[in-house]
Amino acid sequence: MLKPYIPILLGTGREGRMSEKVAEYLLEKVKMFEFKTEILDVRDFVTSVTVPAWVENEQVKKWKEIVVNAQGFILVAPEYNHGYPGELKIWLDKALAEYKNKPLVVCSVSSGGFGGVRMFENLLPILHYLGFNVLGETISFSKVKDDFENPDYLKLDEKYFKQIEMMKNSLLLSVK
Ligand SMILES: Cc1cc2nc3c(=O)[nH]c(=O)nc-3n(C[C@H](O)[C@H](O)[C@H](O)COP(=O)(O)O)c2cc1C
């Protein structure tokens, strides 16, 4: 069987983003599984204001092709003022019908103790509206600076590997 293509979406373009380190850690882990994966960076898809899904331009076309070819998604996004980064919404708005029933797992990130769960709760209705099959196996990366400034992957595995495996199993069960 062909490996499913499940990219990791990095949902913030902020200078100095810790979420990038989380995405890189996940990439190392997910590569061990039966997935084809890579990190897709919001910075490569969003340069300015909203360009909706019905506009025919290269950026929209490229994103829609990726979505059509992906069997699922792992979204890494931080919490900003209890919400999601604005650039993530601009990115997601570049497609709509293409998302229908595609499985998606959210990995939320924060420097505080709640791991970005308020961001996830604010994003959830939008992900549902867009048509994603949002899986329950979310992972919350709290205290991200403590863990990821100088990451020790063995320690991280102790904390997160079981959850990452559950995420992987859930994605594999859901891909078509
Ligand atoms: C504009 C802004 C707002 C933030 N708001 C919150 C927040 O509401 N809750 C929280 O736990 N952390 C908040 N943070 C801190 C982030 O959790 C922190 O920057 C963390 O490293 C994850 O985001 P990053 O990938 O941009 O680094 C905020 C950070 C920024 C830049």
Side-chain angles (χ1 to χ4, degrees):
M1 195 186 118
L2 277 178
K3 287 183 176 185
Y5 174 51
I6 302 189
I8 296 168
L9 310 181
L10 175 54
T12 172
R14 186 179 80 80
E15 277 303 318
R17 56 195 175 178
M18 293 302 297
S19 299
E20 185 172 358
K21 295 194 179 235
V22 175
E24 283 165 358
Y25 168 65
L26 287 168
L27 180 70
E28 285 309 307
K29 299 298 131 190
V30 171
K31 269 186 190 164
M32 294 160 44
F33 303 141
E34 306 88 336
F35 293 169
K36 195 175 151 223
T37 189
E38 63 183 325
I39 294 174
L40 300 178
D41 187 337
V42 68
R43 290 180 185 167
D44 296 326
F45 293 89
V46 175
T47 42
S48 178
V49 296
T50 299
V51 181
W54 58 83
V55 171
E56 289 178 20
N57 76 8
E58 273 313 304
Q59 255 190 355
V60 169
K61 191 166 158 250
K62 182 179 158 205
W63 175 234
K64 284 183 180 179
E65 274 170 16
I66 289 170
V67 175
V68 167
N69 288 321
Q71 275 80 49
F73 303 91
I74 296 167
L75 170 61
V76 177
E79 178 172 305
Y80 291 162
N81 298 322
H82 289 199
Y84 41 83
E87 60 268 40
L88 172 61
K89 180 66 164 52
I90 294 177
W91 188 8
L92 294 173
D93 285 339
K94 289 180 193 293
L96 182 58
E98 294 78 10
Y99 297 131
K100 190 80 185 147
N101 292 329
K102 300 259 174 170
L104 178 143
V105 170
V106 176
C107 296
S108 57
V109 182
S110 81
S111 53
F114 293 108
V117 290
R118 293 162 298 208
M119 180 284 296
F120 173 64
E121 292 193 341
N122 281 314
L123 185 60
L124 190 57
I126 294 161
L127 296 173
H128 282 155
Y129 176 76
L130 291 170
F132 287 104
N133 172 17
V134 184
L135 304 179
E137 284 71 20
T138 54
I139 307 180
S140 301
F141 290 87
S142 58
K143 308 266 180 205
V144 67
K145 281 194 186 125
D146 297 352
D147 285 346
F148 284 87
E149 206 123 59
N150 297 299
D152 174 342
Y153 275 23
L154 285 179
K155 279 202 182 133
L156 288 172
D157 285 354
E158 272 172 37
K159 197 166 166 186
Y160 291 114
F161 193 69
K162 266 197 192 129
Q163 291 177 72
I164 293 171
E165 273 207 307
M166 282 166 68
M167 172 188 81
K168 180 257 299 187
N169 291 337
S170 177
L171 279 164
L172 280 179
L173 279 174
S174 310
V175 296
K176 297 203 172 88

